[in-house]
């Protein structure tokens, strides 16, 4: 059973994340989008809200699981028997961080392999942080996130 985990904040999920999920999930028997929820980070959406949005955006894809985790991704991978971690790279700036994380994870769990996918050319500029910035100032979100996410952003206090 080939099982992969795609961990991230997904605060909120964007067309960039969805592109990575669509392009990589079919290589695996089991694919888990893992919503990280650490008290050390401040999120706009609660973990439950982020999960609900991901599920809405994935309704046309079958067999993808969504879960919440506070802790090391490799520990979650071990618990679930997953051999692979998926991450995305948009720009050179992402590379150093992703490589460091992949190397740390390799030290912690040599049996787990990190696979990185390059952002699709039309999505490489999209980040959750910039999406929130655009939403805050009522900019056009239609090329950045699906409708459900646009509506959830517009419903957030301070973003109306
Ligand atoms: P984190 O806080 O763990 O970086 P994110 O939700 O920001 O969580 O990102 C999760 C993963 O998805 C990261 O590997 C990130 O590089 C990747 N990612 C984010 N946005 C995009 C995008 N537009 N295209 C491709 N990959 C992306």
């Amino acid at each position: 059973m080939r099982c992969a985990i795609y961990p991230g904040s997904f605060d909120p999920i964007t067309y960039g994340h969805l592109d990575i999920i669509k392009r990589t999930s079919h290589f695996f028997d089991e694919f888990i989008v893992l919503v990280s929820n650490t008290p050390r980070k401040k999120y706009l959406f609660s973990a439950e809200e982020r999960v609900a949005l991901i599920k809405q955006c994935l309704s046309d894809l079958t067999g993808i699981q969504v879960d919440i985790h506070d802790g090391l991704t490799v520990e979650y991978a071990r618990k679930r028997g997953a051999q692979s971690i998926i991450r995305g790279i948009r720009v050179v700036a992402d590379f150093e961080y992703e490589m460091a994380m992949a190397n740390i994870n390799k030290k912690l769990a040599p049996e787990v392999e990190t696979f990185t996918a390059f952002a699709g050319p039309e999505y490489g500029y999209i980040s959750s942080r910039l999406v929130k910035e655009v939403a805050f100032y009522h900019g056009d979100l239609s090329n950045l996130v699906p409708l459900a996410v646009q509506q959830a952003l517009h419903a957030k206090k301070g973003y109306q």
Side-chain angles (χ1 to χ4, degrees):
M1 193 78 152
R2 289 163 305 172
C3 176
I5 293 168
Y6 178 33
S9 303
F10 304 104
D11 186 38
I13 189 159
T14 69
Y15 278 135
H17 294 124
L18 285 167
D19 181 52
I20 294 286
I21 295 168
K22 284 178 185 155
R23 285 167 40 213
T24 61
S25 58
H26 61 95
F27 291 110
F28 301 92
D29 303 306
E30 230 185 316
F31 193 91
I32 305 163
V33 180
L34 191 62
V35 172
S36 55
N37 197 36
T38 162
R40 290 180 299 109
K41 261 196 185 175
K42 209 171 168 322
Y43 303 100
L44 177 62
F45 292 97
S46 71
E48 290 72 22
E49 287 174 325
R50 286 177 279 146
V51 166
L53 285 174
I54 293 168
K55 285 185 174 166
Q56 282 182 66
C57 297
L58 289 177
S59 57
D60 58 333
L61 286 180
T62 50
I64 295 181
Q65 302 169 49
V66 189
D67 202 359
I68 300 171
H69 182 60
D70 170 16
L72 297 173
T73 303
V74 287
E75 290 306 329
Y76 182 91
R78 278 194 172 136
K79 196 176 79 187
R80 294 296 302 260
Q83 313 84 355
S84 311
I85 294 173
I86 306 294
R87 295 284 293 178
I89 292 187
R90 287 161 291 190
V91 289
V92 175
D94 284 342
F95 180 82
E96 274 189 51
Y97 176 70
E98 294 297 342
M99 193 171 85
M101 194 139 72
N103 286 335
I104 288 268
N105 283 336
K106 191 87 224 146
K107 276 275 177 264
L108 295 172
E111 77 279 15
V112 178
E113 195 61 43
T114 299
F115 292 93
T116 52
F118 290 110
E122 62 274 47
Y123 303 115
Y125 65 97
I126 304 176
S127 69
S128 299
R129 187 178 64 80
L130 287 180
V131 162
K132 284 178 277 194
E133 190 84 2
V134 173
F136 187 80
Y137 292 108
H138 308 291
D140 180 9
L141 292 166
S142 58
N143 291 317
L144 310 176
V145 292
L147 189 61
V149 179
Q150 292 175 43
Q151 288 167 344
L153 281 162
H154 290 143
K156 272 281 158 196
K157 197 163 170 269
Y159 284 69
Q160 280 125 350

